[in-house]
Each structure stands twice: as structure tokens, then as C-alpha cells.
Amino acid sequence: MDFHELNARITSCRKCPRLVEWREEVAHVKRKAYLDQEYWGKPVPGFGDQKARVLVVGLAPGAHGSNRTGRQFTGDASGGFLYPALYRAGFANQPSAESRSDGLILKDMYITASARCAPPDNKPNPEELNNCQPYLEREIQILNPKVIVCLGRIAFERILKIYSALTLTLSQTGRGDSRWKFAHGALFKLESGVWILCSYHPSQQNTRTGKLTVKMFDEIWAKARELIELEKFFDEQ
Ligand code: SF4
């Protein structure tokens, strides 16, 4: 299955009744500021360079962001913090993300999520995350990324779960092992050679309170860039 087929499957998925109801209800009622817009109201597929070495994994679409625009981190405050950082780090051709037709192109980066449908209170439940996990697994198989940046603890735990199932790497240490603990800037290397880099999620809750600053976020993308350059160096030896 390639990205085209995978994304077609994702956008037509109705596996989680609670999320299907919520995403469609939000798309129907709309926020006052967007009453004149047609909401996407469906699962949001991954977005970016389909040959990327860096995979970014977020949580889930925002009700009036991705669930409205149909593209990851597009049209809300989280994207308003993320894309300028990616632009500064050279992963994006522009700092803004407003709609699927705004000309945004990602370079060497693919952005996806732990759950593809907007959840109430931004909280997908464990069953919903499990339902959605095969899509993330398939993206990893297609891309074979060198670096995975996890935006938030839920994305990190999802990635650990996937790699626990795929390889012995994590089951040998155990996912409860304190060495595999989420922290902003935490960096892990799997036996397969894939780097896992953790960052706080760029949600308003984190950026408005100063838990995640511009400088802290820029350091994440600089580290991601450093890691792919390092891998390139070793590949060429
Ligand atoms: S969250 Fe994932 S599995 Fe659940 S309905 Fe949406 S796309 Fe399907």
C-alpha cells in the first residue's frame, strides 16, 4: 500500500463511533468565525514530503484547526507555533499554514498524528488510539524515517508501543523502564538506528504558559537537522 491508497483509507475511516460523531458535529455546527467555511470534518491524513527522513507525530486534529482545514496543524494556534519553527529550521518553505491550498511545502519532513479524528477535549481514549495505530505503523513502514519527533507524551508512548511490537528493542528494556521516559528534548536511539526525539506539544496550553518557548522548540528542530546530517555522514562512509 502506498501513501495514496493509505490516505484514501484514512480519510474514509469510521472505526471510532465517538470520534466520528464529534468530528461531524463540530463540522456541522462550526465556530462563529468560520461559519462561511466548509469544514473538512473527516479523518486528517499525514502531510509532507513522502521521502522524508524526519517523521513528526502529533496528538490529534484540533476541532477548528485540522478538522476544519483537512491538513495537519493547519489553521490553529498549534500550527501557528509549529510552522514558523519549521520554516526557521529549513523544513518548510513558508512560516504560515492556513489552508490546504496555501502553497506550504515540507522538505524532508512528514507530519502525522496519533489519532486522525478530532476528539472532544483534545483527548482520544486508549481504544481510539489503538484503532488508529495501524495507520501510523504503515506510514512508518513506507517512510522508514531516520528521526521521529514525538510532540507530546501520548505520541511518544504510541511510538514506543509500535516499536515494542515491531522489534525486540524496547521489550528487552521494558516500556516501564525509566530510560524510556518522556521529557522535552529527551533523545533515544533504537537498535534499528532510528532516533526518537521528544518535544512538548505546541498546544496553546504549553506555549501560552511558557512551558514551551520559541527557543526550546527551535532547539528541537536544530537537533532533528543535526541527527539527519549525522546519519547522512555515516551513510556516506
Ligand atoms: S481516529 Fe483513526 S481509527 Fe478512529 S475513526 Fe478516526 S481515522 Fe478511524
Side-chain angles (χ1 to χ4, degrees):
M1 196 193 310
D2 60 12
F3 271 118
H4 182 72
E5 196 182 337
L6 176 64
N7 289 342
R9 279 198 196 185
I10 291 171
T11 51
S12 60
C13 182
R14 303 182 68 84
K15 262 189 238 171
C16 310
R18 185 183 79 114
L19 299 190
V20 170
E21 191 181 340
W22 177 253
R23 78 190 189 206
E24 293 178 356
E25 169 77 8
V26 168
H28 176 68
V29 174
K30 305 182 183 180
R31 180 176 276 173
K32 213 171 172 186
Y34 307 124
L35 282 178
D36 60 340
Q37 294 187 20
E38 175 130 7
Y39 273 51
W40 176 256
K42 293 180 281 192
V44 180
F47 161 65
D49 181 350
Q50 297 186 355
K51 294 194 185 312
R53 290 175 293 175
V54 181
L55 176 66
V56 178
V57 185
L59 172 57
H64 302 280
S66 301
N67 189 53
R68 173 174 58 91
T69 62
R71 196 177 65 190
Q72 298 288 341
F73 285 96
T74 298
D76 62 11
S78 297
F81 197 84
L82 173 67
Y83 286 111
L86 297 183
Y87 175 67
R88 289 190 294 274
F91 287 111
N93 70 329
Q94 62 185 44
S96 61
E98 298 304 328
S99 72
R100 294 198 309 287
S101 57
D102 62 8
L104 176 64
I105 296 170
L106 295 183
K107 295 175 265 184
D108 219 354
M109 179 171 283
Y110 194 81
I111 302 180
T112 188
S114 306
R116 318 301 168 123
C117 295
D121 299 323
N122 290 323
K123 284 186 188 144
N125 66 36
E127 187 187 349
E128 290 156 355
L129 288 164
N130 286 341
N131 285 346
C132 221
Q133 184 174 313
Y135 298 135
L136 181 54
E137 288 172 11
R138 188 65 193 130
E139 284 170 326
I140 290 172
Q141 283 165 359
I142 297 172
L143 268 182
N144 194 20
K146 302 273 189 201
V147 179
I148 300 178
V149 181
C150 300
L151 298 179
R153 186 180 49 78
I154 289 176
F156 176 62
E157 288 176 350
R158 205 40 45 183
I159 288 297
L160 291 193
K161 196 162 187 237
I162 289 173
Y163 277 96
S164 296
L166 289 179
T167 73
L168 289 175
T169 313
L170 295 176
S171 53
Q172 282 166 353
T173 57
R175 282 191 289 126
D177 191 310
S178 60
R179 282 173 287 181
W180 294 93
K181 200 171 168 200
F182 177 82
H184 182 78
L187 178 64
F188 307 93
K189 190 169 192 182
L190 303 180
E191 278 179 6
S192 61
V194 176
W195 291 98
I196 311 285
L197 176 59
C198 298
S199 168
Y200 289 141
H201 190 282
S203 63
Q204 271 189 311
Q205 202 183 346
N206 289 337
T207 57
R208 272 197 182 160
T209 56
K211 184 174 180 181
L212 178 63
T213 64
V214 168
K215 180 173 176 291
M216 287 165 69
F217 212 33
D218 281 350
E219 284 167 358
I220 292 294
W221 307 113
K223 176 57 80 177
R225 167 85 50 211
E226 189 187 311
L227 291 170
I228 53 175
E229 293 305 325
L230 187 71
E231 290 300 319
K232 189 175 161 207
F233 173 78
F234 286 116
D235 286 348
E236 287 170 356
Q237 297 308 300

